[in-house]
Amino acid sequence: MRNKQVLEEMTPYKPGKQIDEVKKEYGLSRIVKLASNENPYGHSEHVDTYLAQAAIGYHFYPDGYTSELRKTVAKKWNVSESQLLFGNGTDEIIQMISRAFLYPGVNTVMATPTFPQYKHGAQIEGAEVEEIPLINGAHDLDGILEAIDDKTNIVWLCSPNNPTGCVIPRDDFYAFMDKCPSDVLVVLDEAYFEYVSGDVQPNVLDYLDNYDNLIVLRTFSKVYGLAGLRVGYGIANEPLIRRLDVVRGPFNTSSLAQKAASVAIGDDRFVEQSVSRNHAVKQSFEQFLDSIDWHYFESHTNFLLISTPVSGERTFRHLLENGFIVRAGEGIGVPNTIRVTIGNEADMEQLKEILHQMHLKLEKGQSL
């Protein structure tokens, strides 16, 4: 079979270890998964209540226009319904954007390390990838601007950035947009938007009309706790959405997912409680890391990227043996780190104790 040659040079996305897999491998009865930045507090109870009573006709195809969810999201963010695009998670929207705007002979610019699906999609479409190293965990916007040339079709910005958690400050973002060529599409991925406190993050939706070359990505997988249902969305001006809609699959979000997301986005109390608890637990965990002198990046998300005194892979294995799944930095482009999702209060206290004992052993020169 004559497939694209690049597929022979790439590897599939490798998700973090699953709970049942780890239980079986290590003979453990309880596992705490802190590897995928999921909401440890679940999702809005209104979702369960609604779905228990709703009559969803699973023998029918889903609404291909996502009409109900579209109305709800448009009202929530005060945008037009025609400015919205929905996908099976933001991953699928990244695929749509890559399919529509990337091809052999053009290039795309992004930070490194950042969310790996930007590069993955670009390589499959045959575009050249220009990667600009982060500076202290943050985007080098000047470096990105310098890398843009007449063959650049897309710039990817992840704010807060995954895996570092750093935001692009509002004034820096607007200055970047004003300097970026208007024929270069800028993708601003705000998967962790709801976790950002204060006015650090730019409220780009208020200025969307000023930028025809901007699309903002958001998701129901993080703070809303619907990762298993896979719903993401993009917000942009209508001409851009219309072009992307051409490459969208006709029934790409399920009926169940559409209903659940419509209910979840209306529960502001659940979001506020999740964000508040995340902030308190993260702050406590940061104080603990300070006490053992482990460096971490300033994060405006529900995770921390932590430098480790031994390799990230070794730390990952040690935590795995103790019932905690985290993400080793070697697998996400940041050696000698681990990325840890902020779990609930009790689980994070247990993790502190494991890391404290690990710290004491290493200080004594003992092996893990």
Side-chain angles (χ1 to χ4, degrees):
M1 295 183 290
R2 293 184 290 274
N3 54 264
K4 292 180 177 179
Q5 180 58 37
V6 71
L7 301 184
E8 306 298 330
E9 304 162 10
M10 299 174 65
T11 57
Y13 174 77
K14 186 178 181 181
K17 282 183 171 287
Q18 298 301 302
I19 291 175
D20 290 341
E21 176 188 359
V22 176
K23 281 183 178 179
K24 184 177 180 181
E25 183 176 351
Y26 290 91
L28 298 169
S29 58
R30 182 176 181 271
I31 297 295
V32 179
K33 185 185 176 193
L34 302 176
S36 300
N37 306 335
E38 296 143 332
N39 188 338
Y41 309 113
H43 53 259
S44 168
E45 62 184 13
H46 299 319
V47 172
D48 290 330
T49 301
Y50 178 84
L51 294 180
Q53 301 170 349
I56 299 175
Y58 294 114
H59 55 298
F60 294 114
Y61 284 107
D63 175 6
Y65 190 63
T66 56
S67 303
E68 180 182 350
L69 179 57
R70 184 177 297 273
K71 286 183 173 63
T72 305
V73 174
K75 183 178 180 180
K76 172 74 174 180
W77 300 122
N78 193 30
V79 296
S80 167
E81 292 180 28
S82 62
Q83 290 180 290
L84 294 169
L85 177 75
F86 293 89
N88 190 318
T90 52
D91 287 2
E92 188 192 20
I93 299 179
I94 291 167
Q95 288 179 342
M96 294 181 207
I97 294 169
S98 299
R99 188 177 180 189
F101 290 95
L102 297 179
Y103 45 85
V106 305
N107 68 57
T108 179
V109 184
M110 64 194 69
T112 184
T114 191
F115 189 53
Q117 293 306 103
Y118 311 147
K119 182 177 181 178
H120 188 84
Q123 289 177 313
I124 290 174
E125 300 303 331
E128 293 293 323
V129 177
E130 298 288 339
E131 296 180 286
I132 309 303
L134 299 173
I135 299 177
N136 297 323
H139 282 68
D140 176 7
L141 295 179
D142 289 337
I144 289 174
L145 282 170
E146 289 177 9
I148 295 172
D149 59 27
D150 58 1
K151 294 183 179 180
T152 304
N153 275 17
I154 302 178
V155 169
W156 304 88
L157 303 177
C158 187
S159 183
N161 186 50
N162 182 5
T164 57
C166 300
V167 298
I168 298 173
R170 56 182 301 168
D171 292 344
D172 293 351
F173 174 77
Y174 292 129
F176 174 88
M177 289 301 300
D178 290 340
K179 295 175 184 176
C180 183
S182 60
D183 60 348
V184 174
L185 174 62
V186 177
V187 183
L188 179 63
D189 188 344
E190 293 188 327
Y192 300 92
F193 164 80
E194 291 84 1
Y195 287 102
V196 182
S197 57
D199 61 354
V200 179
Q201 182 93 326
N203 187 6
V204 294
L205 300 187
D206 288 346
Y207 300 92
L208 201 58
D209 289 344
N210 297 341
Y211 305 115
D212 288 333
N213 61 327
L214 174 66
I215 183 168
V216 180
L217 306 187
R218 293 184 181 173
T219 183
F220 286 91
S221 295
K222 302 304 178 186
V223 77
Y224 291 105
L226 299 180
L229 291 178
R230 313 303 296 125
V231 186
Y233 58 101
I235 311 173
N237 288 321
E238 185 177 353
L240 176 54
I241 293 295
R242 191 165 55 244
R243 278 181 278 176
L244 289 171
D245 231 354
V246 174
V247 299
R248 180 183 62 84
F251 304 109
N252 62 325
T253 56
S254 72
S255 300
L256 180 64
Q258 290 181 30
K259 293 289 187 182
S262 296
V263 175
I265 201 170
D267 193 347
D268 291 335
R269 183 170 176 268
F270 172 79
V271 171
E272 291 166 3
Q273 288 179 338
S274 293
V275 171
S276 177
R277 292 176 73 178
N278 172 80
H279 178 73
V281 177
K282 182 175 66 175
Q283 189 173 52
S284 174
F285 190 50
E286 289 172 342
Q287 291 170 351
F288 162 75
L289 293 171
D290 290 338
S291 74
I292 62 173
D293 201 27
W294 283 24
H295 172 267
Y296 53 88
F297 289 90
E298 180 184 8
S299 173
H300 296 264
T301 66
N302 65 338
F303 63 82
L304 284 176
L305 184 67
I306 305 165
S307 297
T308 51
V310 294
S311 75
E313 186 65 32
R314 190 174 171 193
T315 306
F316 161 77
R317 289 289 172 191
H318 179 71
L319 292 177
L320 205 57
E321 292 165 1
N322 285 274
F324 279 78
I325 308 174
V326 299
R327 202 69 187 261
E330 281 75 4
I332 52 178
V334 200
N336 300 316
T337 65
I338 53 172
R339 193 190 66 191
V340 179
T341 304
I342 303 302
N344 64 40
E345 293 83 350
D347 289 339
M348 294 304 289
E349 288 301 317
Q350 185 181 351
L351 178 61
K352 288 180 193 177
E353 181 57 30
I354 295 170
L355 290 176
H356 180 63
Q357 293 303 319
M358 174 183 168
H359 168 69
L360 292 177
K361 291 182 72 173
L362 291 173
E363 279 212 322
K364 294 175 182 177
Q366 299 175 353
S367 59
L368 297 179

